């Protein structure tokens, strides 16, 4: 199945609740549903024309991958990663992605460079148009496609999953217009990849993540209930409402 960032990953499955699950994932990681946002079962059931039981199943799946927090008597909220967790997510990505770069360089071919360059161009366009959702999606896609060059599917899937949690950290603690990564960083990484400069590419990637973490501003946010009808207006499933 195609994931929120446009790539085929095993992170998404084929269960019957996938439509709602993927719609919520997309809205969370693209910052339409911000950290702390309330996710009441009744409101979501109404907008997706399904039962509260179906919504509850989806929320439990999202909680299992740490995108949603379920609290007794307080319901579901989009997870707000604290400062330590946010730093740990990027530290983990830094370790994984940097360690895999020698294999990425060893297997990189011209078509890979062309595909990465196209992603960066699209990312720049999204930034210029202040299309935050597209900028976030393309930024994540760059990192996942870069790691995919290595052929290590397990690591690539791990990076894909971590991009979801990275987006939460940026939504929670980033500047008002901090959507994804800095485009010129990605350009620089492509240049180093083209030169097959292992040391330079590894240092550049490490600096890239350090810069992101340094830009985060760790302040508290208050949860709100979003306008689900507006967010999911075009994403209702075609099937009828579930019984129960």
């Amino acid at each position: 199945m195609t994931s929120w960032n446009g790539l085929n990953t095993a992170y998404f499955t084929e269960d019957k609740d996938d439509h709602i699950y993927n719609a919520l994932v997309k809205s969370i990681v693209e910052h339409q549903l911000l950290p702390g946002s309330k996710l009441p079962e009744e409101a979501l059931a109404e907008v997706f024309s399904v039962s509260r039981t179906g919504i509850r199943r989806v929320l439990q799946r999202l909680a299992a991958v740490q995108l949603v927090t379920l609290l007794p008597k307080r319901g579901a909220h989009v997870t707000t990663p604290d400062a330590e967790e946010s730093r740990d997510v990027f530290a983990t990505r830094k370790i994984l992605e940097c360690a895999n770069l020698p294999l990425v360089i060893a297997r990189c071919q011209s078509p890979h460079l062309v595909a990465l360059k196209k992603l960066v161009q699209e990312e720049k366009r999204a930034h210029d148009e202040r299309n935050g959702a597209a900028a976030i999606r393309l930024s994540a896609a760059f990192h996942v496609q870069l790691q995919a060059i290595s052929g290590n599917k397990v690591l690539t899937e791990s990076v894909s999953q971590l991009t979801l949690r990275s987006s939460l950290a940026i939504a929670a603690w980033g500047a008002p217009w901090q959507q994804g990564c800095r485009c010129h960083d990605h350009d620089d990484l492509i240049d180093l990849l083209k030169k097959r400069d292992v040391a330079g590419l590894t240092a550049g990637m490490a600096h890239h993540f350090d810069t992101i973490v340094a830009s985060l501003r760790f302040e508290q946010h208050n949860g709100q209930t979003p306008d689900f009808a507006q967010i999911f207006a075009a994403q209702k499933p075609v099937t009828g409402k579930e019984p129960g």
Side-chain angles (χ1 to χ4, degrees):
M1 174 174 288
T2 300
S3 70
W4 71 278
N5 60 24
L7 302 177
N8 292 320
T9 73
Y11 184 70
F12 289 79
T13 61
E14 296 289 350
D15 295 340
K16 68 177 183 178
D17 298 322
D18 275 347
H19 176 86
I20 301 170
Y21 177 85
N22 290 343
L24 284 168
V25 169
K26 186 174 185 292
S27 296
I28 290 170
V29 299
E30 292 183 356
H31 299 179
Q32 293 173 296
L33 293 174
L34 294 173
S37 296
K38 299 176 183 177
L39 301 172
E41 292 177 5
E42 185 174 358
L44 287 170
E46 180 178 355
V47 78
F48 284 109
S49 299
V50 297
S51 69
R52 292 181 64 176
T53 301
I55 292 298
R56 194 172 301 124
R57 286 196 303 265
V58 171
L59 293 176
Q60 288 169 346
R61 285 176 62 186
L62 290 167
V65 295
Q66 298 174 288
L67 293 183
V68 164
T69 300
L70 301 176
L71 297 174
K73 299 182 180 180
R74 293 182 57 187
H77 297 73
V78 177
T79 297
T80 301
D82 60 23
E84 182 179 7
E85 179 182 344
S86 298
R87 291 190 180 99
D88 287 347
V89 167
F90 283 106
T92 302
R93 285 190 61 185
K94 178 179 173 181
I95 292 168
L96 287 176
E97 296 187 40
C98 287
N100 198 42
L101 290 176
L103 188 54
V104 169
I105 289 178
R107 297 195 174 185
C108 183
Q109 303 295 327
S110 294
H112 296 131
L113 295 170
V114 171
L116 289 173
K117 195 69 176 178
K118 181 180 179 181
L119 274 177
V120 173
Q121 290 170 348
E122 293 174 356
E123 185 185 3
K124 287 178 180 177
R125 188 179 306 114
H127 276 278
D128 291 342
E129 296 173 354
R130 298 188 73 79
N131 185 343
I136 295 165
R137 181 177 65 254
L138 292 163
S139 174
F142 173 86
H143 282 268
V144 177
Q145 284 201 15
L146 176 64
Q147 297 301 321
I149 294 172
S150 71
N152 187 330
K153 293 181 179 180
V154 174
L155 184 142
T156 303
E157 289 165 6
S158 296
V159 170
S160 181
Q161 181 175 347
L162 284 168
T163 62
L164 304 180
R165 296 178 67 183
S166 299
S167 178
L168 271 182
I170 291 174
W173 311 114
W177 178 249
Q178 183 179 349
Q179 308 291 355
C181 305
R182 301 185 304 180
C183 297
H184 68 82
D185 280 4
H186 290 169
D187 262 331
D188 293 342
L189 293 174
I190 291 175
D191 288 341
L192 292 165
L193 176 60
K194 187 176 181 179
K195 295 175 182 176
R196 300 188 179 275
D197 182 352
V198 175
L201 182 58
T202 302
M205 183 68 78
H207 178 72
H208 179 56
F209 283 120
D210 290 343
T211 300
I212 294 172
V213 174
S215 72
L216 300 180
R217 304 186 302 188
F218 296 109
E219 302 165 356
Q220 292 296 322
H221 295 257
N222 295 320
Q224 300 178 347
T225 302
D227 185 346
F228 298 118
Q230 179 180 357
I231 293 173
F232 300 114
Q235 302 187 47
K236 291 185 179 180
V238 295
T239 55
K241 187 168 184 177
E242 297 178 13

